[in-house]
Amino acid sequence: LTKSRFREETKMKKKVVSLLVAAMTVASLTACGNSGSDAPAANQEPAPAEKQEAEPAPAESQAEAPAESQAEAPAPAADGGTISVGFAQVGHESDWRAANTKNYQDTFSAANGYELSFVDCDNDHAVQIETVRGFIEQELDYICIAPIQSAGWDTVLQEAKDAGIPVLIVDRAVDADPSLYTTALGCDMVAEGEAAGNWLAEYLNGEDANILVIEGSVGASATLGRTEGFNNIVSQNSNWKVLDSQSGDFTQAGGQEVMESFIKSYSDFNVVVCQNDNEAYGAMDAMDAAGITYGVDGDVTIISFDATHDGLQYTLDGKITCNVECNPLQAGFAEDVIKKLQAGEAVDAWTLVVDEAFVAPGITSKYAVTMSQEVLDGRAY
Ligand code: GZL
Ligand code: ZN
């Protein structure tokens, strides 16, 4: 349990830091209570004259521009005026998210010529929709959205398109007509779920599996994809049974809560799939409290997703046996798209952020890299 206190303390420290740093919100957009309103928000300064020239051509002249010709967004103003980017971020639910947020703030910095309007939407879809509406009203040059859930985006995406503002769907996917946004980028969540399943089949080598799944946030493409991918492999193994599958909302508290309820209902499980590292930390705390052993030397095999630093430390320690990565350092891909659009170049409709899987020391797999201290030391997040 001391582990979780350590984790809680680090998380609290991280949260304080990310709240302070994440306070860059557009004044009228303190949509999410935790926007760190007391921290300085650089973009609340009066916009210097030259910034106006960096604004895209007046909306009406782009309004009728169909998505494919949005590439004609103007090149940066001759004097290199700043480019305004709105980022409606999922929230602050996980270590992965913190790394993703920091990566966007580091990339879209004032020093790099950007004015970032960052809003932490606190896992609330309605807040995220209103945040995007606010970006449209502000007539920002670009809008990035990491959608909390896949459904419910058509209307506001149409509004952004009508306003002639290029929209980048990042990290997670939306269930909307692709002509309603400029580009999408992120990991292949179905492939991640299948990687976990394929590794498990290789590891169990024919043994039965009674599986409990702690899913991510309801309706998130990361949840839907990982569940679909893993179940594709479950259906290929007739001696595997998924006993239960509940959402832990991608948080440590959620993972612990769901695992505690699973422990009350099931006693014959030998595999727990956590759809992100923070849920795995919570599940481990719950199993510790119940005296259930896990890891390479335990009764239960834990599979996790995200391959964050702490998650890979547990994999190196043999507590998490398999950890499937989804790389959070994606802001560079978003910046590449914006630079191309600024230069009037066409952009790809989809950019895949590649990832891999990791397994505990002592295990060799054709689906995953065997963890070592060097692998851990070599990680960028
Ligand atoms: C995956 C990302 C997920 C992470 C979670 O790309 O959307 O959201 O797996 C995070 O940690 O909450
Ligand atoms: Zn919150």
Side-chain angles (χ1 to χ4, degrees), residues 128-149:
Q128 193 165 45
I129 295 289
E130 282 320 302
T131 295
V132 173
R133 283 218 164 88
F135 291 159
I136 296 169
E137 280 155 33
Q138 303 277 330
E139 296 181 356
L140 299 187
D141 297 328
Y142 296 93
I143 295 174
C144 295
I145 305 168
I148 291 164
Q149 63 179 55

Side-chain angles (χ1 to χ4, degrees), residues 114-189:
Y114 298 98
E115 181 188 347
L116 177 65
S117 301
F118 173 86
V119 177
D120 168 336
C121 298
D122 204 11
N123 241 4
D124 183 326
H125 175 67
V127 165
Q128 193 165 45
I129 295 289
E130 282 320 302
T131 295
V132 173
R133 283 218 164 88
F135 291 159
I136 296 169
E137 280 155 33
Q138 303 277 330
E139 296 181 356
L140 299 187
D141 297 328
Y142 296 93
I143 295 174
C144 295
I145 305 168
I148 291 164
Q149 63 179 55
S150 303
W153 285 98
D154 294 82
T155 307
V156 77
L157 290 177
Q158 185 63 58
E159 290 167 18
K161 184 177 174 182
D162 294 346
I165 302 176
V167 170
L168 293 77
I169 303 296
V170 300
D171 172 25
R172 298 184 185 166
V174 293
D175 185 10
D177 183 333
S179 70
L180 288 177
Y181 51 89
T182 308
T183 190
L185 62 96
C187 302
D188 181 338
M189 313 292 185

